[in-house]
């Protein structure tokens, strides 16, 4: 590898020779001295170069080289990648980290087109067009460092518990959730469909006796909506475990995962989140509040907002309001809304023993927005077939899935969670477009 | 959660009451005593029940219950999920782990259809049809435990190095590798294509200044072949890092990852691999041997096998032969074949300085089969455009990708590796169908 010191590691070094490499964030080209802010993936540092503007008569090669370097710096385009060797000097007067590098040699490794197509005030859509430049902004890049930390902490919990990571297929012979939002693929002489969730396949692992599984992977919805919370392709965080008593066990696992993820993020990035997002992130306390959905709707109604829906469901404004209530009354950013009506849940959610109008299910709301749906699944095949029929589904078409339940399957449940939503709400961003590496929507397939 | 002790944890417990839960592997229904082998995700244990075949006159309720339990065990179908409470007893005479559970109560949680559709001698294709039953075989399930351990170790290395995990989109506006093997998706009023690799998007992260990234995710190839090494959907293990000097740096990272992965697998599953696969897995030593491709072809030719190809490439038999040679001569299971001819490499591979007929690239061969391709990428946009044109590609169509290189990009490289191939070769399996959770091929989309 190229010998280079990451900018974040400079502070711990003594004064002396260093090599750094990154891109040009700014150039201040003064008559007597030039300043370059060099940024790499870990931070930014000031490079300083005393300018040599002209050669005296009889100037030596070294002087010629200094003139060439000065002219090269004057010509540096924002964004060009450079390698700098020089002398590190700690100096409290330097605002940026209290240190600078006095340039000895400069190599322009890759020149940028000087016409930068986006600026700090560009629209979100324009920034998406030039996402690779947008991500050079340390605030945007930080989002994906946070995501890395968050996911690694979740996987640590799963692995510690002995759960098995699976990669479920994204090509399917039929729908996994709803016919309405299904992408169709030309598959040799026939058709395939893109998985809307790993639902059926993570349940298959329970029939296979895996005990518990997890997966972080893409899911696809042919959803034509343009809200800040929807995408046609998104990263779904999924887990499913056997031998549960009810959805309460799923919520307990969900809490444990979130606490581990937030703890790791606060530990690794708390200060950076404060700096870039102005948010003091805290680790949520357990247990998260739980409110049955019907009760939540009543609470919201009592506060003056009657959810304008004919069915039993919440709406986004209702979720915001119940979240505000929970924050005010219970001091918590999270709330599980539980016991959704069977009428608004998929056929595979288990229903209450004794009250089939309600399900053993929940949504997790975080800072006003739904980030996850979880449930105990119906594992009794006769009941499952009845529930499928009741929802107007054809058991024939579900045949391969229903087979999973014909050879024994333990009671089980799990959840799916939208990764970009978690990050959006954690960081107070306005859209999942900000927290998705490359957003995909009805009119966006590029870059 | 249900109170249950995993079978693997029984050995450490003293004699006394326990609850276990899993599925019925076998029932031996003798006149005086019944034996049930109960298996869970961690192991199998013998449950023993003294049979009560008939009731004496004036028998009490307890005797009736014993009769009912005896009859329930006689009726148990293979595969049914049960929960057993009883007395754990350590007894050296019991072959299976030196312990058994004397049954006190039995709950049949989920009954299996008694007609099991596959047997131990079923064809691979038939087993794939009933994959959820096939995976109950502890040998098959072990594969995915090993995979979990392997991936977690790789991610540990990446995270330790400060690399960023990304999820690249699988829906694209155009091909990422070759037009020939592209799946087309109906995308609202237009078309999208499934990503054949994350290649373009992991390079984008280098232009974004991420420094280094990793991803484990699906890739799609509309490849009509039916070999043991090909699938239409597979899990690709990808990484890409900046500021490399050459592909040698990529190979060094690759080795480090493989060693960490194998070490973790040997530590966690070495004994189980020996038991189920008859393989004594060892951790490969570094450095892995490196042989330029042209030299490898000569070695193979000298051994009597002339690769029957008109181009500069190897073929599967050549890969087996060079692997045998390396094993015999150098005692290594891995070999990097390096410096592939430009004529057989994609346009984005960097070519040798001074010899544009060769590339800074490699394939990694493991136990005779290619598992990975890596390379330094061409980051100079003018050279890249020329190489694309030379390969007959339209720079117009590659516009969004070429843009990544117009605003500066550091030298970089990486590799993509087929996860199922690694597992197949590690465990001496004959097909990636065995090491893929749910295989997808031209004629297989189910279950």
């Amino acid at each position: 590898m190229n010998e280079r010191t990451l900018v974040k590691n400079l502070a711990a070094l003594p004064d002396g020779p260093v090599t750094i490499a990154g891109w040009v964030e700014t150039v201040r080209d003064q008559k007597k001295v030039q300043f370059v802010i060099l940024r790499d993936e870990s931070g930014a540092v000031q490079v300083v170069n005393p300018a040599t503007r002209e050669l005296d008569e009889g100037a030596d090669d070294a002087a010629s080289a200094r003139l060439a370097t000065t002219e090269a710096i004057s010509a540096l385009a924002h964004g060009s990648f450079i390698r700098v060797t020089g002398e590190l000097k700690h100096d409290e007067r330097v605002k940026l980290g209290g240190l600078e590098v006095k340039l000895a040699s400069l190599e322009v490794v890759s020149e940028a087109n000087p016409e930068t197509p986006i600026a700090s005030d560009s629209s979100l859509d324009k920034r998406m067009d030039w996402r690779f430049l947008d991500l050079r902004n340390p605030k945007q890049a930080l989002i994906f460092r946070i995501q890395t930390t968050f996911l690694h902490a979740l996987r640590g919990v799963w692995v510690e518990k002995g759960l098995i990571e699976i990669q479920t297929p994204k090509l399917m012979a039929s729908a996994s959730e709803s016919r309405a939002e299904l992408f169709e693929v030309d598959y040799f002489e026939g058709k395939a469909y893109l998985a809307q969730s790993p639902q059926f396949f993570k349940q298959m692992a329970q029939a296979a006796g895996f005990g518990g599984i997890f997966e972080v992977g893409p899911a696809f919805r042919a959803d034509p909506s343009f809200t800040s919370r929807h995408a046609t392709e998104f990263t779904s965080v999924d887990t499913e475990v056997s031998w549960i008593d009810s959805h309460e066990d799923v919520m307990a696992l969900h809490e444990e995962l979130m606490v581990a993820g937030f703890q790791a993020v606060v530990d690794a990035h708390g200060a950076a989140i404060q700096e870039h997002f102005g948010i003091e992130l805290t680790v949520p306390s357990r247990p998260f509040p739980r409110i049955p959905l019907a009760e939540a709707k009543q609470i919201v109604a009592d506060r003056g907002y009657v959810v304008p829906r004919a069915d039993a469901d919440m709406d986004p404004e209702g979720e915001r309001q119940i979240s505000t209530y929970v924050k005010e009354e219970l001091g918590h950013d999270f709330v599980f809304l539980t016991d959704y009506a069977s009428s608004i849940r998929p056929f595979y959610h288990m229903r209450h023993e004794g009250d089939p109008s309600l399900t053993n299910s929940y949504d997790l709301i975080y800072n006003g927005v739904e980030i996850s749906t979880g449930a105990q699944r119906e594992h009794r095949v006769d009941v499952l077939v009845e529930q499928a029929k009741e929802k107007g589904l054809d058991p024939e078409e579900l045949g391969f899935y229903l087979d999973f339940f014909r050879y024994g399957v333990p009671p089980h449940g799990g959840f799916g969670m939208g990764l970009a939503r978690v990050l959006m709400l954690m960081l107070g961003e306005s859209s999942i477009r900000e927290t998705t590496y490359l957003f995909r929507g009805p009119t966006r397939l590029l870059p």
Side-chain angles (χ1 to χ4, degrees), chain A:
Chain A
M1 298 294 274
N2 292 188
E3 293 295 325
R4 66 168 180 140
T5 301
L6 287 177
V7 168
K8 71 172 178 186
N9 296 331
L10 290 175
L13 291 185
D15 286 2
V18 290
T19 296
I20 53 178
W23 67 94
V24 174
E25 193 162 86
T26 55
V27 179
R28 263 194 304 145
D29 193 12
Q30 301 177 356
K31 190 165 194 318
K32 304 253 170 185
V33 62
Q34 300 174 302
F35 297 96
V36 176
I37 303 297
L38 178 153
R39 182 173 289 283
D40 70 12
E41 64 268 34
S42 73
V45 65
Q46 176 166 291
V47 175
V48 60
N49 184 54
T52 299
R53 295 294 177 183
E54 52 192 33
L55 293 185
D56 298 334
E57 266 187 65
D60 59 8
D61 285 357
S64 299
R66 284 197 297 275
L67 177 64
T69 296
T70 299
E71 289 176 346
I73 291 175
S74 295
L76 271 182
H78 170 92
S80 290
F81 280 76
I82 59 174
R83 187 185 289 115
V84 168
T85 298
E87 287 286 312
L88 174 68
K89 186 150 175 284
H90 291 262
D91 181 345
E92 285 179 9
R93 291 168 303 175
V94 180
K95 276 190 199 160
L96 190 61
L99 44 81
E100 65 181 14
V101 174
K102 181 159 180 264
L103 187 141
S105 78
L106 166 74
E107 183 191 351
V108 180
V109 174
S110 177
E111 274 184 69
N113 185 330
E115 307 286 329
T116 306
I118 54 170
S120 58
D121 62 347
S122 293
S123 71
L124 176 55
D125 213 49
K126 181 99 176 170
R127 288 198 284 115
M128 298 293 106
D129 287 342
W130 299 94
R131 183 62 164 161
F132 62 102
L133 296 175
D134 185 48
L135 290 172
R136 287 191 189 170
N137 183 330
K139 180 178 171 177
Q140 317 304 340
L142 176 60
I143 293 171
F144 298 92
R145 290 204 177 272
I146 293 167
Q147 184 176 288
T148 303
T149 301
F150 181 75
L151 286 178
H152 199 59
L154 263 54
R155 293 193 186 105
V157 173
W158 282 318
V159 168
E160 181 63 32
K161 287 180 179 294
L163 272 62
I164 296 177
E165 177 170 0
I166 57 175
Q167 278 85 26
T168 64
K170 307 310 165 198
L171 291 168
M172 297 181 68
S174 59
S176 54
E177 296 283 335
S178 116
R179 282 239 147 249
E181 299 184 346
L182 202 54
F183 283 120
E184 190 176 287
V185 182
D186 289 339
Y187 198 76
F188 303 101
E189 305 307 304
K191 293 288 178 194
Y193 302 92
L194 293 182
Q196 297 158 306
S197 83
Q199 185 60 37
F200 291 179
F201 303 130
K202 58 185 196 160
Q203 290 191 255
M204 187 187 100
Q206 313 312 307
F210 275 24
I213 58 86
F214 64 96
E215 177 174 22
V216 178
F220 306 89
R221 305 267 168 108
D223 181 342
S225 62
F226 286 90
T227 82
S228 62
R229 308 177 313 282
H230 292 90
T232 52
E233 176 176 356
F234 62 98
T235 300
S236 185
V237 175
D238 280 275
T239 190
E240 195 83 14
V241 289
S242 285
W243 298 107
I244 63 168
D245 285 329
S246 76
H247 54 311
E248 185 56 49
D249 292 324
V250 182
M251 288 190 279
L253 173 61
H254 205 153
E255 285 175 348
E256 184 180 351
L257 288 161
M258 297 307 279
V259 166
F262 275 66
Q263 185 69 61
V265 169
V266 167
D267 290 349
H269 310 291
I273 291 171
Q274 178 66 259
E275 179 192 346
H276 288 290
F277 295 92
I279 287 173
E280 185 165 352
L281 192 68
T282 56
V283 180
S285 62
R286 290 184 68 181
F288 298 0
R290 288 141 166 78
I291 305 177
L293 179 66
E295 194 179 311
K297 288 185 77 169
Q298 189 57 53
I299 289 168
V300 166
D302 292 347
R303 289 165 61 95
Y305 179 71
V306 178
V307 176
R309 289 185 67 117
D311 66 16
D313 215 349
M314 263 293 187
D315 70 348
E317 178 57 25
E319 287 168 355
R320 271 191 289 279
Q321 296 248 0
I322 194 67
S323 213
T324 303
Y325 164 82
V326 168
K327 185 70 179 169
E328 285 172 8
E329 299 295 320
L330 306 169
H332 213 287
D333 296 332
F334 289 87
V335 56
F336 287 117
L337 301 184
T338 66
D339 304 280
Y340 277 66
S342 308
S343 55
I344 54 172
R345 288 305 215 191
F347 75 99
Y348 53 79
H349 282 200
M350 183 177 271
R351 297 177 182 182
H352 280 205
E353 213 176 317
D355 183 359
S357 74
L358 296 176
T359 58
N360 284 1
S361 77
Y362 69 87
D363 274 9
L364 178 55
I365 314 292
Y366 173 38
N367 284 345
V369 179
E370 182 245 307
I371 56 172
S372 177
T373 295
Q376 179 170 17
R377 321 304 184 181
E378 179 54 64
H379 65 279
R380 296 161 297 186
V381 67
D382 49 339
V383 181
L384 192 59
V385 169
E386 279 315 304
Q387 291 183 182
K389 282 188 198 160
E390 186 199 302
K391 293 279 183 189
L393 300 170
D394 178 4
E396 197 73 23
E397 200 178 339
L398 291 169
F400 84 93
Y401 170 69
L402 295 172
D403 278 346
F404 299 161
F405 300 83
R406 298 190 198 283
Y407 297 86
V409 57
H412 64 277
F415 68 80
M417 180 168 71
L419 181 59
R421 287 192 182 191
V422 177
L423 272 288
M424 171 180 83
L425 296 157
M426 177 193 285
L427 302 173
E429 291 288 277
S430 61
S431 168
I432 58 169
R433 290 162 179 77
E434 300 279 9
T435 55
T436 303
Y437 180 66
L438 280 167
F439 175 77
R440 290 294 183 250
T443 56
R444 179 163 293 278
L445 281 171
L446 283 172

